[in-house]
């Protein structure tokens, strides 16, 4: 049963910024970085194994085909993240256009951590449960179609944001963090040490 504070003016204490942030530990360990972005129109695109990418549908519909998985239809505003890097095909259905962003990671560290995620994490643009998606999508499309100075860095940061949000929906915090903490001298410990370096003894 939840405990009620004795004084309603007193709010329960919140964790300090950065504390108990297992998802950040995972992301720091894999050295996530948004990479190239390309626009596609009415052409079948194939992506080999090892390509970690996301696809954002602008207009029309496309079919996402991942090896060993059932095909998934993506409509206007939908996004799919393929964080594991499974080989896949994006096939337009009639007239369609979409944007693809790719990611760079430290492969040796990322493979076991991102391997706990589904092959494709689909976020529906009209679901109403991902309020962050329309704004991020519109900003990304704006920077890609009408680039201003600094657009390359802006696009990279937006890709990072979309990856983080979608990976969390896919369970990265819940599934990946325990693997990161399996060994005290593993990447999780290094990420935490980087965030909270030891203080010199006096």
């Amino acid at each position: 049963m939840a405990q009620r504070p004795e004084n309603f003016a007193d709010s329960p204490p919140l964790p300090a910024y950065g504390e108990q942030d297992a998802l950040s530990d995972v992301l720091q360990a894999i050295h996530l970085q948004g990479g190239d972005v390309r626009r596609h129109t009415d052409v079948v695109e194939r992506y080999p194994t090892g390509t970690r990418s996301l696809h954002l549908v602008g207009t029309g519909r496309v079919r996402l085909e991942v090896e060993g998985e059932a095909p998934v239809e993506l409509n206007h505003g939908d996004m799919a993240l393929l964080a594991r890097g499974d080989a896949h095909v994006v096939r337009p259905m009639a007239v369609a256009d979409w944007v693809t962003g790719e990611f760079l990671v430290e492969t040796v560290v990322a493979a076991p951590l991102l391997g706990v995620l589904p092959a494709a994490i689909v976020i529906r643009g009209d679901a109403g449960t991902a309020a962050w998606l329309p704004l991020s999508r519109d900003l990304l499309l704006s920077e890609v179609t009408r680039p201003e100075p600094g657009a390359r860095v802006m696009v990279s940061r937006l890709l990072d944001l979309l990856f983080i949000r979608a990976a969390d929906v896919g369970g990265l915090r819940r599934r990946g963090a325990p693997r990161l903490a399996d060994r005290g001298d593993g990447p999780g410990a290094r990420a935490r040490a980087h965030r909270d370096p030891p203080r010199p003894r006096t």
Side-chain angles (χ1 to χ4, degrees):
M1 181 175 178
Q3 295 183 350
R4 300 172 62 184
E6 295 180 2
N7 187 337
F8 284 102
D10 297 331
S11 300
L14 297 175
Y17 172 76
E19 287 187 0
Q20 302 176 344
D21 190 353
L23 182 58
S24 287
D25 287 344
V26 173
L27 295 166
Q28 287 177 338
I30 67 175
H31 294 164
L32 174 70
Q33 181 180 347
D36 294 336
V37 175
R38 293 183 301 277
R39 299 191 71 182
H40 308 283
T41 303
D42 302 337
V43 177
V44 176
E45 297 289 342
R46 303 178 186 277
Y47 301 86
T49 300
T51 304
R52 304 178 195 275
S53 59
L54 66 76
H55 306 289
L56 274 166
V57 181
T59 59
R61 292 183 301 154
V62 303
R63 186 169 65 192
L64 175 65
E65 302 170 359
V66 183
E67 289 187 1
E69 305 284 338
V72 177
E73 286 191 14
L74 303 175
N75 299 301
H76 163 71
D78 292 347
M79 182 184 84
L81 172 67
L82 293 100
R84 295 186 340 196
D86 291 60
H88 61 284
V89 176
V90 179
R91 193 181 305 276
M93 304 176 69
V95 178
D97 69 80
W98 67 98
V99 172
T100 295
E102 296 185 3
F103 299 91
L104 305 175
V105 296
E106 188 174 322
T107 304
V108 173
V109 178
L113 298 177
L114 300 182
V116 302
L117 294 173
I121 301 169
V122 176
I123 311 292
R124 298 296 181 184
D126 60 357
T129 57
W132 48 269
L133 180 54
L135 175 60
S136 302
R137 181 189 65 235
D138 292 346
L139 282 172
L140 181 64
L141 292 175
S142 175
E143 293 297 330
V144 171
T145 56
R146 297 182 298 276
E148 299 285 345
R152 188 174 66 252
V153 174
M154 176 72 80
V155 166
S156 178
R157 298 297 185 269
L158 288 168
L159 287 176
D160 290 349
L161 172 62
L162 290 168
F163 184 105
I164 293 166
R165 288 290 193 174
D168 197 27
V169 170
L172 182 59
R173 173 171 31 184
R174 183 178 68 257
R175 302 172 185 171
R179 290 199 174 192
L180 192 67
D182 280 346
R183 292 180 54 186
D185 60 344
R190 291 196 296 271
R192 288 188 295 274
H194 177 75
R195 186 189 66 205
D196 302 313
R199 298 174 181 174
R201 297 181 180 178
T202 57

Short mmCIF file of all heavy atoms in Angstrom, two decimals, residues 12-65:
data_model
loop_
_atom_site.label_atom_id
_atom_site.label_comp_id
_atom_site.label_asym_id
_atom_site.label_seq_id
_atom_site.Cartn_x
_atom_site.Cartn_y
_atom_site.Cartn_z
N PRO A 12 7.05 13.47 -1.73
CA PRO A 12 8.05 12.42 -1.57
C PRO A 12 9.34 12.82 -2.27
O PRO A 12 9.31 13.44 -3.34
CB PRO A 12 7.39 11.21 -2.26
CG PRO A 12 5.92 11.52 -2.28
CD PRO A 12 5.83 13.01 -2.38
N PRO A 13 10.48 12.50 -1.69
CA PRO A 13 11.75 12.90 -2.30
C PRO A 13 11.96 12.22 -3.65
O PRO A 13 11.62 11.05 -3.83
CB PRO A 13 12.80 12.43 -1.28
CG PRO A 13 12.12 11.33 -0.53
CD PRO A 13 10.68 11.71 -0.45
N LEU A 14 12.46 12.97 -4.60
CA LEU A 14 12.75 12.45 -5.93
C LEU A 14 14.23 12.10 -6.03
O LEU A 14 15.06 12.75 -5.39
CB LEU A 14 12.40 13.48 -7.01
CG LEU A 14 10.93 13.87 -7.11
CD1 LEU A 14 10.75 14.99 -8.12
CD2 LEU A 14 10.07 12.68 -7.50
N PRO A 15 14.59 11.08 -6.82
CA PRO A 15 16.01 10.78 -6.98
C PRO A 15 16.73 11.93 -7.66
O PRO A 15 16.15 12.64 -8.48
CB PRO A 15 15.99 9.53 -7.88
CG PRO A 15 14.67 9.54 -8.56
CD PRO A 15 13.72 10.19 -7.60
N ALA A 16 17.98 12.12 -7.29
CA ALA A 16 18.77 13.19 -7.89
C ALA A 16 18.97 12.91 -9.37
O ALA A 16 18.94 11.76 -9.82
CB ALA A 16 20.11 13.32 -7.17
N TYR A 17 19.20 13.98 -10.13
CA TYR A 17 19.40 13.86 -11.58
C TYR A 17 20.54 12.88 -11.85
O TYR A 17 21.65 13.01 -11.31
CB TYR A 17 19.75 15.22 -12.17
CG TYR A 17 20.16 15.17 -13.62
CD1 TYR A 17 19.22 15.00 -14.62
CD2 TYR A 17 21.50 15.27 -13.99
CE1 TYR A 17 19.58 14.96 -15.95
CE2 TYR A 17 21.89 15.22 -15.31
CZ TYR A 17 20.92 15.06 -16.29
OH TYR A 17 21.29 15.01 -17.60
N GLY A 18 20.28 11.87 -12.71
CA GLY A 18 21.31 10.92 -13.09
C GLY A 18 21.41 9.69 -12.20
O GLY A 18 22.05 8.72 -12.58
N GLU A 19 20.77 9.71 -11.03
CA GLU A 19 20.84 8.54 -10.16
C GLU A 19 19.88 7.46 -10.66
O GLU A 19 18.81 7.74 -11.15
CB GLU A 19 20.48 8.93 -8.72
CG GLU A 19 21.57 9.73 -8.01
CD GLU A 19 21.24 9.95 -6.54
OE1 GLU A 19 20.17 9.48 -6.10
OE2 GLU A 19 22.04 10.59 -5.86
N GLN A 20 20.28 6.21 -10.49
CA GLN A 20 19.46 5.06 -10.85
C GLN A 20 18.97 5.18 -12.29
O GLN A 20 17.83 4.88 -12.60
CB GLN A 20 18.27 4.93 -9.89
CG GLN A 20 18.69 4.76 -8.44
CD GLN A 20 17.51 4.72 -7.50
OE1 GLN A 20 16.40 5.08 -7.85
NE2 GLN A 20 17.74 4.27 -6.28
N ASP A 21 19.84 5.62 -13.18
CA ASP A 21 19.48 5.81 -14.59
C ASP A 21 20.15 4.73 -15.41
O ASP A 21 21.16 4.96 -16.07
CB ASP A 21 19.90 7.21 -15.04
CG ASP A 21 19.33 7.56 -16.41
OD1 ASP A 21 18.74 6.66 -17.05
OD2 ASP A 21 19.50 8.70 -16.85
N ALA A 22 19.59 3.53 -15.34
CA ALA A 22 20.20 2.39 -16.02
C ALA A 22 20.21 2.55 -17.53
O ALA A 22 21.13 2.10 -18.21
CB ALA A 22 19.46 1.10 -15.63
N LEU A 23 19.17 3.20 -18.08
CA LEU A 23 19.11 3.37 -19.53
C LEU A 23 20.26 4.24 -20.02
O LEU A 23 20.88 3.95 -21.05
CB LEU A 23 17.77 3.99 -19.93
CG LEU A 23 17.54 4.18 -21.43
CD1 LEU A 23 17.66 2.85 -22.17
CD2 LEU A 23 16.18 4.81 -21.69
N SER A 24 20.58 5.31 -19.28
CA SER A 24 21.72 6.15 -19.67
C SER A 24 23.02 5.36 -19.61
O SER A 24 23.92 5.55 -20.45
CB SER A 24 21.81 7.38 -18.76
OG SER A 24 20.78 8.30 -19.05
N ASP A 25 23.16 4.48 -18.61
CA ASP A 25 24.36 3.66 -18.53
C ASP A 25 24.53 2.81 -19.78
O ASP A 25 25.62 2.68 -20.33
CB ASP A 25 24.29 2.74 -17.30
CG ASP A 25 24.49 3.51 -16.00
OD1 ASP A 25 24.97 4.66 -16.06
OD2 ASP A 25 24.17 2.96 -14.93
N VAL A 26 23.42 2.21 -20.24
CA VAL A 26 23.47 1.38 -21.45
C VAL A 26 23.86 2.22 -22.66
O VAL A 26 24.74 1.84 -23.44
CB VAL A 26 22.11 0.68 -21.69
CG1 VAL A 26 22.11 -0.03 -23.04
CG2 VAL A 26 21.79 -0.29 -20.57
N LEU A 27 23.23 3.37 -22.81
CA LEU A 27 23.47 4.21 -23.99
C LEU A 27 24.89 4.76 -24.00
O LEU A 27 25.51 4.87 -25.07
CB LEU A 27 22.46 5.35 -24.03
CG LEU A 27 21.00 4.89 -24.22
CD1 LEU A 27 20.05 6.03 -23.91
CD2 LEU A 27 20.79 4.37 -25.63
N GLN A 28 25.43 5.10 -22.83
CA GLN A 28 26.81 5.56 -22.76
C GLN A 28 27.78 4.44 -23.10
O GLN A 28 28.80 4.64 -23.76
CB GLN A 28 27.11 6.12 -21.37
CG GLN A 28 26.47 7.47 -21.11
CD GLN A 28 26.71 7.97 -19.70
OE1 GLN A 28 27.00 7.19 -18.79
NE2 GLN A 28 26.59 9.27 -19.50
N ALA A 29 27.43 3.23 -22.68
CA ALA A 29 28.32 2.10 -22.92
C ALA A 29 28.44 1.76 -24.40
O ALA A 29 29.51 1.38 -24.87
CB ALA A 29 27.82 0.87 -22.14
N ILE A 30 27.34 1.91 -25.16
CA ILE A 30 27.39 1.54 -26.58
C ILE A 30 27.86 2.69 -27.46
O ILE A 30 28.04 2.51 -28.66
CB ILE A 30 26.02 1.03 -27.07
CG1 ILE A 30 24.98 2.15 -27.08
CG2 ILE A 30 25.56 -0.15 -26.22
CD1 ILE A 30 23.63 1.73 -27.66
N HIS A 31 28.04 3.89 -26.89
CA HIS A 31 28.50 5.07 -27.66
C HIS A 31 27.58 5.35 -28.84
O HIS A 31 28.02 5.47 -29.99
CB HIS A 31 29.93 4.87 -28.13
CG HIS A 31 30.91 4.81 -27.00
ND1 HIS A 31 32.20 4.31 -27.16
CD2 HIS A 31 30.80 5.14 -25.69
CE1 HIS A 31 32.84 4.36 -26.00
NE2 HIS A 31 32.00 4.87 -25.09
N LEU A 32 26.29 5.47 -28.56
CA LEU A 32 25.30 5.73 -29.60
C LEU A 32 25.54 7.07 -30.27
O LEU A 32 25.79 8.08 -29.62
CB LEU A 32 23.90 5.72 -28.98
CG LEU A 32 22.75 6.12 -29.90
CD1 LEU A 32 22.52 5.04 -30.95
CD2 LEU A 32 21.47 6.34 -29.08
N GLN A 33 25.44 7.08 -31.61
CA GLN A 33 25.57 8.32 -32.37
C GLN A 33 24.74 8.23 -33.63
O GLN A 33 24.89 7.30 -34.43
CB GLN A 33 27.02 8.60 -32.74
CG GLN A 33 27.20 9.90 -33.52
CD GLN A 33 28.65 10.17 -33.88
OE1 GLN A 33 29.55 9.51 -33.35
NE2 GLN A 33 28.88 11.09 -34.77
N GLY A 34 23.82 9.21 -33.82
CA GLY A 34 23.05 9.26 -35.05
C GLY A 34 23.94 9.55 -36.24
O GLY A 34 24.86 10.38 -36.16
N GLY A 35 23.69 8.88 -37.35
CA GLY A 35 24.54 9.02 -38.53
C GLY A 35 23.81 9.62 -39.71
O GLY A 35 23.15 10.64 -39.60
N ASP A 36 23.92 8.96 -40.87
CA ASP A 36 23.36 9.49 -42.12
C ASP A 36 21.84 9.41 -42.13
O ASP A 36 21.22 8.53 -41.52
CB ASP A 36 23.91 8.71 -43.31
CG ASP A 36 25.40 8.91 -43.51
OD1 ASP A 36 25.90 9.96 -43.06
OD2 ASP A 36 26.06 8.03 -44.09
N VAL A 37 21.23 10.35 -42.87
CA VAL A 37 19.79 10.37 -43.08
C VAL A 37 19.53 10.47 -44.58
O VAL A 37 20.19 11.25 -45.28
CB VAL A 37 19.13 11.56 -42.36
CG1 VAL A 37 17.64 11.63 -42.70
CG2 VAL A 37 19.30 11.44 -40.85
N ARG A 38 18.59 9.67 -45.08
CA ARG A 38 18.25 9.70 -46.51
C ARG A 38 16.74 9.66 -46.68
O ARG A 38 16.04 9.02 -45.89
CB ARG A 38 18.88 8.50 -47.24
CG ARG A 38 20.39 8.54 -47.30
CD ARG A 38 20.93 7.38 -48.10
NE ARG A 38 20.53 6.09 -47.54
CZ ARG A 38 21.16 5.50 -46.53
NH1 ARG A 38 22.19 6.09 -45.96
NH2 ARG A 38 20.75 4.33 -46.08
N ARG A 39 16.28 10.32 -47.74
CA ARG A 39 14.86 10.28 -48.09
C ARG A 39 14.66 9.30 -49.24
O ARG A 39 15.49 9.21 -50.15
CB ARG A 39 14.35 11.66 -48.49
CG ARG A 39 14.47 12.71 -47.40
CD ARG A 39 13.72 13.96 -47.75
NE ARG A 39 12.27 13.74 -47.71
CZ ARG A 39 11.37 14.66 -48.02
NH1 ARG A 39 11.76 15.85 -48.44
NH2 ARG A 39 10.07 14.40 -47.94
N HIS A 40 13.53 8.58 -49.21
CA HIS A 40 13.23 7.59 -50.24
C HIS A 40 11.81 7.81 -50.76
O HIS A 40 10.92 8.21 -50.01
CB HIS A 40 13.33 6.17 -49.67
CG HIS A 40 14.62 5.88 -48.97
ND1 HIS A 40 15.79 5.62 -49.63
CD2 HIS A 40 14.92 5.82 -47.65
CE1 HIS A 40 16.76 5.40 -48.75
NE2 HIS A 40 16.26 5.53 -47.54
N THR A 41 11.62 7.50 -52.03
CA THR A 41 10.30 7.63 -52.65
C THR A 41 10.08 6.49 -53.63
O THR A 41 10.83 6.37 -54.62
CB THR A 41 10.16 8.97 -53.40
OG1 THR A 41 10.42 10.04 -52.49
CG2 THR A 41 8.75 9.13 -53.96
N ASP A 42 9.10 5.65 -53.33
CA ASP A 42 8.60 4.64 -54.27
C ASP A 42 9.68 3.70 -54.81
O ASP A 42 9.59 3.24 -55.95
CB ASP A 42 7.92 5.34 -55.47
CG ASP A 42 6.77 6.23 -55.03
OD1 ASP A 42 6.23 5.98 -53.94
OD2 ASP A 42 6.44 7.17 -55.76
N VAL A 43 10.69 3.42 -54.02
CA VAL A 43 11.74 2.48 -54.44
C VAL A 43 11.96 1.47 -53.33
O VAL A 43 12.05 1.85 -52.15
CB VAL A 43 13.06 3.22 -54.75
CG1 VAL A 43 14.14 2.21 -55.12
CG2 VAL A 43 12.87 4.23 -55.87
N VAL A 44 12.05 0.20 -53.66
CA VAL A 44 12.33 -0.83 -52.66
C VAL A 44 13.76 -0.65 -52.16
O VAL A 44 14.69 -0.56 -52.95
CB VAL A 44 12.15 -2.24 -53.26
CG1 VAL A 44 12.54 -3.31 -52.24
CG2 VAL A 44 10.71 -2.44 -53.73
N GLU A 45 13.92 -0.60 -50.85
CA GLU A 45 15.24 -0.42 -50.25
C GLU A 45 15.58 -1.64 -49.40
O GLU A 45 14.76 -2.11 -48.61
CB GLU A 45 15.26 0.84 -49.37
CG GLU A 45 15.03 2.14 -50.12
CD GLU A 45 16.22 2.53 -50.99
OE1 GLU A 45 17.33 1.99 -50.77
OE2 GLU A 45 16.04 3.39 -51.88
N ARG A 46 16.80 -2.14 -49.59
CA ARG A 46 17.26 -3.32 -48.85
C ARG A 46 18.43 -2.93 -47.94
O ARG A 46 19.32 -2.18 -48.35
CB ARG A 46 17.69 -4.42 -49.82
CG ARG A 46 16.58 -4.82 -50.79
CD ARG A 46 17.02 -5.87 -51.78
NE ARG A 46 15.98 -6.12 -52.78
CZ ARG A 46 14.96 -6.94 -52.58
NH1 ARG A 46 14.87 -7.62 -51.44
NH2 ARG A 46 14.04 -7.11 -53.52
N TYR A 47 18.41 -3.48 -46.72
CA TYR A 47 19.41 -3.13 -45.73
C TYR A 47 20.07 -4.42 -45.22
O TYR A 47 19.37 -5.31 -44.72
CB TYR A 47 18.77 -2.36 -44.57
CG TYR A 47 18.09 -1.09 -45.02
CD1 TYR A 47 16.77 -1.11 -45.48
CD2 TYR A 47 18.78 0.12 -45.03
CE1 TYR A 47 16.15 0.04 -45.92
CE2 TYR A 47 18.16 1.28 -45.48
CZ TYR A 47 16.86 1.23 -45.92
OH TYR A 47 16.25 2.38 -46.37
N PRO A 48 21.39 -4.51 -45.33
CA PRO A 48 22.07 -5.75 -44.93
C PRO A 48 22.17 -5.88 -43.41
O PRO A 48 21.95 -4.92 -42.66
CB PRO A 48 23.46 -5.58 -45.55
CG PRO A 48 23.68 -4.10 -45.58
CD PRO A 48 22.32 -3.50 -45.86
N THR A 49 22.51 -7.07 -42.96
CA THR A 49 22.73 -7.31 -41.54
C THR A 49 23.79 -6.35 -41.01
O THR A 49 24.81 -6.12 -41.66
CB THR A 49 23.18 -8.76 -41.32
OG1 THR A 49 22.16 -9.64 -41.80
CG2 THR A 49 23.43 -9.04 -39.84
N GLY A 50 23.54 -5.80 -39.84
CA GLY A 50 24.47 -4.86 -39.23
C GLY A 50 24.09 -3.41 -39.39
O GLY A 50 24.70 -2.54 -38.77
N THR A 51 23.06 -3.14 -40.21
CA THR A 51 22.59 -1.77 -40.39
C THR A 51 21.57 -1.44 -39.32
O THR A 51 20.43 -1.93 -39.35
CB THR A 51 21.95 -1.58 -41.78
OG1 THR A 51 22.88 -1.96 -42.79
CG2 THR A 51 21.56 -0.12 -41.99
N ARG A 52 21.95 -0.64 -38.35
CA ARG A 52 21.02 -0.23 -37.28
C ARG A 52 20.36 1.06 -37.74
O ARG A 52 21.03 2.07 -37.94
CB ARG A 52 21.79 -0.03 -35.97
CG ARG A 52 22.59 -1.26 -35.55
CD ARG A 52 23.39 -1.03 -34.28
NE ARG A 52 24.39 -2.05 -34.10
CZ ARG A 52 24.20 -3.24 -33.52
NH1 ARG A 52 22.99 -3.52 -33.04
NH2 ARG A 52 25.17 -4.11 -33.41
N SER A 53 19.06 1.02 -37.89
CA SER A 53 18.38 2.14 -38.55
C SER A 53 16.98 2.33 -38.02
O SER A 53 16.43 1.47 -37.31
CB SER A 53 18.33 1.91 -40.07
OG SER A 53 17.65 0.70 -40.36
N LEU A 54 16.41 3.49 -38.37
CA LEU A 54 14.99 3.72 -38.14
C LEU A 54 14.38 4.24 -39.43
O LEU A 54 15.07 4.84 -40.26
CB LEU A 54 14.74 4.68 -36.98
CG LEU A 54 15.18 6.15 -37.05
CD1 LEU A 54 14.26 7.01 -37.92
CD2 LEU A 54 15.22 6.74 -35.65
N HIS A 55 13.09 4.01 -39.57
CA HIS A 55 12.37 4.45 -40.76
C HIS A 55 11.13 5.22 -40.30
O HIS A 55 10.34 4.73 -39.49
CB HIS A 55 11.95 3.27 -41.63
CG HIS A 55 13.09 2.37 -42.01
ND1 HIS A 55 14.07 2.76 -42.90
CD2 HIS A 55 13.43 1.13 -41.59
CE1 HIS A 55 14.95 1.77 -43.04
NE2 HIS A 55 14.58 0.78 -42.25
N LEU A 56 10.96 6.43 -40.83
CA LEU A 56 9.82 7.29 -40.52
C LEU A 56 9.02 7.50 -41.80
O LEU A 56 9.56 7.99 -42.80
CB LEU A 56 10.30 8.64 -40.00
CG LEU A 56 10.60 8.78 -38.51
CD1 LEU A 56 11.39 10.06 -38.27
CD2 LEU A 56 9.32 8.79 -37.71
N VAL A 57 7.75 7.14 -41.78
CA VAL A 57 6.93 7.25 -42.98
C VAL A 57 6.33 8.64 -43.07
O VAL A 57 5.67 9.12 -42.14
CB VAL A 57 5.81 6.19 -42.98
CG1 VAL A 57 4.96 6.31 -44.25
CG2 VAL A 57 6.41 4.80 -42.87
N GLY A 58 6.57 9.30 -44.22
CA GLY A 58 6.02 10.62 -44.45
C GLY A 58 4.61 10.55 -45.02
O GLY A 58 3.65 11.01 -44.41
N THR A 59 4.47 9.95 -46.20
CA THR A 59 3.16 9.79 -46.83
C THR A 59 3.02 8.36 -47.34
O THR A 59 4.02 7.68 -47.62
CB THR A 59 2.98 10.76 -48.01
OG1 THR A 59 4.00 10.53 -48.99
CG2 THR A 59 3.05 12.21 -47.54
N GLY A 60 1.77 7.94 -47.49
CA GLY A 60 1.51 6.61 -48.02
C GLY A 60 1.76 5.51 -47.02
O GLY A 60 1.75 5.72 -45.80
N ARG A 61 2.02 4.30 -47.55
CA ARG A 61 2.26 3.13 -46.71
C ARG A 61 3.46 2.37 -47.24
O ARG A 61 3.72 2.33 -48.44
CB ARG A 61 1.06 2.20 -46.71
CG ARG A 61 -0.19 2.73 -46.04
CD ARG A 61 -1.28 1.66 -46.06
NE ARG A 61 -1.61 1.27 -47.42
CZ ARG A 61 -2.12 0.08 -47.76
NH1 ARG A 61 -2.32 -0.84 -46.84
NH2 ARG A 61 -2.42 -0.18 -49.02
N VAL A 62 4.20 1.74 -46.33
CA VAL A 62 5.30 0.86 -46.72
C VAL A 62 5.15 -0.44 -45.93
O VAL A 62 4.48 -0.49 -44.90
CB VAL A 62 6.68 1.49 -46.44
CG1 VAL A 62 6.83 2.82 -47.16
CG2 VAL A 62 6.93 1.67 -44.95
N ARG A 63 5.80 -1.47 -46.45
CA ARG A 63 5.81 -2.76 -45.74
C ARG A 63 7.24 -3.05 -45.31
O ARG A 63 8.17 -3.03 -46.12
CB ARG A 63 5.29 -3.88 -46.63
CG ARG A 63 5.15 -5.22 -45.89
CD ARG A 63 4.40 -6.22 -46.72
NE ARG A 63 5.14 -6.58 -47.91
CZ ARG A 63 4.63 -7.27 -48.93
NH1 ARG A 63 3.36 -7.63 -48.89
NH2 ARG A 63 5.37 -7.56 -49.97
N LEU A 64 7.40 -3.30 -44.03
CA LEU A 64 8.70 -3.64 -43.46
C LEU A 64 8.82 -5.15 -43.40
O LEU A 64 8.01 -5.82 -42.74
CB LEU A 64 8.83 -3.02 -42.07
CG LEU A 64 10.10 -3.36 -41.28
CD1 LEU A 64 11.33 -2.79 -41.97
CD2 LEU A 64 9.99 -2.83 -39.86
N GLU A 65 9.84 -5.68 -44.06
CA GLU A 65 10.06 -7.13 -44.10
C GLU A 65 11.41 -7.44 -43.45
O GLU A 65 12.46 -7.05 -43.96
CB GLU A 65 10.03 -7.62 -45.54
CG GLU A 65 8.73 -7.29 -46.27
CD GLU A 65 8.80 -7.56 -47.76
OE1 GLU A 65 9.89 -8.01 -48.24
OE2 GLU A 65 7.80 -7.33 -48.47
#
